[in-house]
Amino acid sequence: MFNAASVPSFSDFSTTFDSPLAGHGWTAEFEDLFSPLAEAGLVPGRIVRVDRGQCDVVLADAESGELRTVRADTRAVGDADMINCPCTGDWAAVDLAAEPMPSVAALLPRSTAIIRKVAGKRSDGQVLAANVDTVLIAASLAADPDLGRIERFLALAWESGAEPLVVLTKADLVDDADFIRADVEGIAPGVTVLVVSAETGEGIDVLRACTPGSTALVGQSGVGKSTLTNALAGAERMAVQATRSVDEKGRHTTTTRELIALPGGGVLIDTPGLREVGLYGGEGVAMAFADIEEFAEACRFQDCGHHTEPGCAVQAALADGTLPQRRMDSYLKLQRESEWIASRSDARLASARLKKWKSITKSVRASGRPVKR
């Protein structure tokens, strides 16, 4: 119904666009995309949370123009595929006249989507949040940041189509925050790295200025995501549990993805802590390791495997210490994971095409017409 290539992001938003949903990222371009659905009597809204075949959707009241949240059935657009199913952040076309309750009749194409591989050995993908401009990766300074995990989150963020932003939380607990930030900046080429403390307010204003549109907050459990959400929202929107005295880590609090409106416009999607950060293929790894990709461009051979080939610029960078071995190992590991996912995805597509062809063949033969390939 719609062309995904024409879907705008919040950065395209003009402050002169007059809509109650503008603060949630609704734009004139979205309005144009939605016009055929509006003619059918449907109204636009953004999904706040999803739960068991239903969702909460924020939309504008037809009479007052004020925003309100309604509960809607999502079964009409439900999908067994966890990538295409309704997700927090989706823009939805809602049928308020449906019985016995309002229903989501259609979803607009996504401008961006954070997709990870599901936990375990399966190769299916799961969408975590949709239509975000920034992926805020939170890591705690209460313990030495796991650089390898941050690299995974960066690859996940770049692959989504949004801009990554790394935030080091709990700065009030350490004295060497700037030193740690320098280490993180070294594995995040082209990415802003901020140091903040929700306890003292350090860096919160800068962070707020860096997230004017739609932002998704991701990270492990216990890094202070809920506390950070409350600081940005200026209110206690998310429950927060006390940290463990042993390691100053927080406890798992957030259990569902939820979209929260921020003061002054923009929204934040808080997500549960991710124990596994499985990649789902694409160019995310190449963008997260742009420094290695840049070294590789100087290799003598275009198909250099960066092992024992002569004239390998990557091996030269490893030899002189310009490129740390740990980072190279991480790059190769994530690259292998992405290639594996890509091969499994191709296999699924081939299987789906074969299944479809068999169904068409069976139907044609039943009609008595000749089968043409």
Side-chain angles (χ1 to χ4, degrees):
M1 182 180 298
F2 296 103
N3 179 6
S6 64
V7 176
S9 67
F10 191 93
S11 60
D12 300 319
F13 167 63
S14 169
T15 55
T16 60
F17 179 62
D18 185 19
S19 169
L21 286 170
H24 281 68
W26 188 250
T27 67
E29 289 84 358
F30 271 129
E31 190 98 341
D32 291 339
L33 285 172
F34 194 83
S35 58
L37 295 173
E39 293 175 359
L42 305 177
V43 298
R46 195 164 192 191
I47 295 180
V48 173
R49 69 180 66 83
V50 180
D51 178 34
R52 299 180 182 180
Q54 296 182 0
C55 69
D56 290 337
V57 187
V58 60
L59 45 79
D61 184 84
E63 296 182 0
S64 66
E66 295 182 356
L67 297 182
R68 65 187 180 100
T69 302
V70 301
R71 191 74 170 169
D73 193 330
T74 62
R75 287 178 294 178
V77 293
D79 197 307
D81 185 344
M82 287 187 287
I83 293 179
N84 296 316
C85 63
C87 176
T88 301
D90 270 326
W91 284 105
V94 183
D95 182 359
L96 294 175
E99 294 292 344
M101 65 183 301
S103 174
V104 174
L107 299 175
L108 267 65
R110 295 161 175 162
S111 58
T112 61
I114 305 174
I115 301 173
R116 70 159 178 171
K117 186 186 80 66
V118 297
K121 297 183 179 180
R122 293 170 54 193
S123 61
D124 303 299
Q126 176 191 22
V127 60
L128 302 178
N131 300 311
V132 297
D133 305 293
T134 305
V135 179
L136 196 164
I137 302 165
S140 173
L141 289 169
D144 292 337
D146 186 336
L147 299 182
R149 183 166 290 268
I150 293 175
E151 286 167 338
R152 282 181 172 274
F153 276 116
L154 286 168
L156 188 76
W158 282 121
E159 178 58 26
S160 74
E163 290 285 334
L165 170 66
V166 178
V167 175
L168 303 178
T169 65
K170 306 184 182 182
D172 54 290
L173 299 179
V174 297
D175 298 323
D176 56 349
D178 290 336
F179 180 78
I180 298 174
R181 175 168 58 185
D183 285 343
V184 175
E185 287 175 338
I187 58 117
V191 177
T192 298
V193 180
L194 301 178
V195 172
V196 306
S197 169
E199 183 71 23
T200 65
E202 177 187 349
I204 296 299
D205 287 343
V206 176
L207 175 58
R208 188 175 289 114
C210 290
T211 54
S214 295
T215 302
L217 177 55
V218 300
Q220 289 180 280
S221 295
V223 299
K225 296 192 304 300
S226 295
T227 303
L228 197 58
T229 297
N230 291 338
L232 290 173
E236 296 296 315
R237 297 296 303 273
M238 306 299 293
V240 177
Q241 296 192 42
T243 59
R244 299 195 299 253
S245 59
V246 175
D247 54 10
E248 291 295 338
K249 287 186 177 180
R251 295 172 172 82
H252 184 79
T253 302
T254 305
T255 58
T256 186
R257 294 180 289 277
E258 182 171 355
L259 183 147
I260 298 169
L262 299 179
V267 297
L268 178 70
I269 298 176
D270 190 16
T271 67
L274 298 178
R275 293 183 178 88
E276 293 189 29
V277 190
L279 303 184
Y280 197 65
E283 297 298 321
V285 173
M287 298 181 72
F289 293 85
D291 51 342
I292 298 180
E293 294 286 321
E294 186 175 352
F295 284 130
E297 291 179 0
C299 290
R300 180 182 302 176
F301 304 107
Q302 289 187 346
D303 60 347
C304 183
H306 314 310
H307 298 296
T308 59
E309 295 86 348
C312 175
V314 173
Q315 285 297 323
L318 288 169
D320 65 18
T322 305
L323 175 63
Q325 185 64 52
R326 184 215 63 81
R327 183 155 171 80
M328 184 63 185
D329 292 341
S330 180
Y331 169 70
L332 294 175
K333 182 178 181 179
L334 297 187
Q335 195 175 55
R336 287 193 298 270
E337 287 186 23
S338 291
E339 290 172 352
W340 180 80
I341 283 292
S343 66
R344 293 295 297 267
S345 298
D346 290 342
R348 282 199 303 271
L349 290 174
S351 176
R353 286 194 295 268
L354 179 60
K355 183 177 180 181
K356 182 178 180 180
W357 173 249
K358 287 182 176 179
S359 177
I360 293 173
T361 301
K362 183 177 180 181
S363 176
V364 170
R365 284 176 175 168
S367 68
R369 290 177 287 149
V371 179
K372 296 180 180 180
R373 288 185 179 270

